[in-house]
Amino acid sequence: MICYLNGEFLPLSEARIPVLDRGFIFGDGVYEVIPVYRRQAFRLAGHLARLGRSLDAVRIARPHDDARWAELIRELVAHQEHDDQSLYLQVTRGVARRDHTFPAGVTPTVFMMSGALTLPPADVLTRGIPAVTQTDNRWFRCDIKSTALLANVLLRQAASDAGAGEAVLLRDGFLTEGSASNIFVVRGGTIRTPAKSHLTLPGITYDVIADLARDNALPYEQCDVHETEVRAADEIWLASSTREILPVTALDGRPVGNGVPGPMFRRMYELFQAYKDIHCPPAG
Ligand code: PMP
C-alpha cells in the first residue's frame, strides 16, 4: 500500500517517523477520516474545513491550503487498488526534544494512508447492532478531532467487551455522541440529535443527515436529548464516515423500539445512498 509522508509517496511498510514525534510522545496531533466513493472524496470541503478548525484549535500551522490537500488526496487515491476507500490523514506538531511546551521552529509531520472502505454488510444493516451506554469521561474539547483517543479507545473496548458495536455516551444525564460516531434518536416521528458544541465532534455524516432531513422535510431537531429519551426512543442510529448510518437495535440489552431497524432509518439510509450517487457519480 502506498502512503504519503512529509512530501513523499512511498510503501506503507517503508514509512518511518522518529520516536520523538510529538504525535507518538503526546498524542499531539489532529486527524481526519475521509470516505472515498468511486475514487472521489466525499464532502471533501467539509473534511478540510474541520481539519483547518482542528489545526487552529491546537495551534499547529496549516501545512497546506485546501487546493493542495485536494491534489495530494487525489494522488494518494489514484495509487490504491480499491475504488471505495477510507482515507486517513494526520498532522502532528512535529519532532522535538520531549517537553510539553510547543517547540520553536518545528515542521509539522503530515501522514496519509488509504485502504479499502469496508461498510457494514447487508445483514448488519437488516438486523442493526447492539450498543451499551457509558459515562462520557472525555475532556471538554471533543470538537477537536485529536489523535489523543485514549478515552474513546477505552469506551469502545468496554462496548466490545459487552458484545456491543458502539458505546452511546451520556454526560450529566444527556446524550453526547458515540465513541466514534454521532448518535440520533427518533421518537414520535422526529429525528433528534445534540446540537454541535465542545462536547461532540462535528461529524460530516451528521451534516449530511441534517441536510437530507431539511431538503426532504423530515421532522428534525438539534436539541438536548435526555437519557430517558434515549432509553424510550423508537429508533437509535449512529453515523460516521466509515459506517455511514447504522441502526442501533438494542441498548444495554433491551430492544430499541421493536428491536428492528425502523422506517425513519430506512428512509434516511435510502436518501443517503442516493446523495452519494449524485455527489460521487460513476465515471463517464
Ligand atoms: N464522533 C466521534 C467521536 C468520532 O470519532 C466520529 C468519527 N470518527 C464521529 C463523531 C463522526 O464523524 P464523521 O461523520 O465525520 O466520520
Side-chain angles (χ1 to χ4, degrees), residues 50 138 145 152 177-182 201 203-205 239-241:
R50 184 172 66 184
R138 300 172 302 161
K145 202 161 171 61
N152 303 64
E177 60 181 340
S179 71
S181 60
N182 293 108
L201 186 81
I204 304 304
T205 321
S240 81
S241 290

Side-chain angles (χ1 to χ4, degrees), residues 157-240:
Q157 188 58 39
S160 176
D161 291 345
E166 182 56 302
V168 171
L169 306 181
L170 301 168
R171 193 191 282 272
D172 301 329
F174 288 92
L175 172 67
T176 53
E177 60 181 340
S179 71
S181 60
N182 293 108
I183 302 286
F184 296 76
V185 302
V186 179
R187 182 135 165 91
T190 298
I191 307 162
R192 292 202 175 84
T193 191
K196 290 180 186 178
S197 77
H198 59 293
L199 299 180
T200 61
L201 186 81
I204 304 304
T205 321
Y206 170 108
D207 287 342
V208 176
I209 290 173
D211 289 353
L212 291 173
R214 185 199 54 220
D215 294 349
N216 295 278
L218 301 177
Y220 173 87
E221 278 174 18
Q222 293 182 353
C223 57
D224 290 345
V225 180
H226 195 264
E227 175 177 352
T228 53
E229 207 177 333
V230 177
R231 297 198 184 280
D234 301 323
E235 301 183 27
I236 301 176
W237 319 332
L238 64 78
S240 81

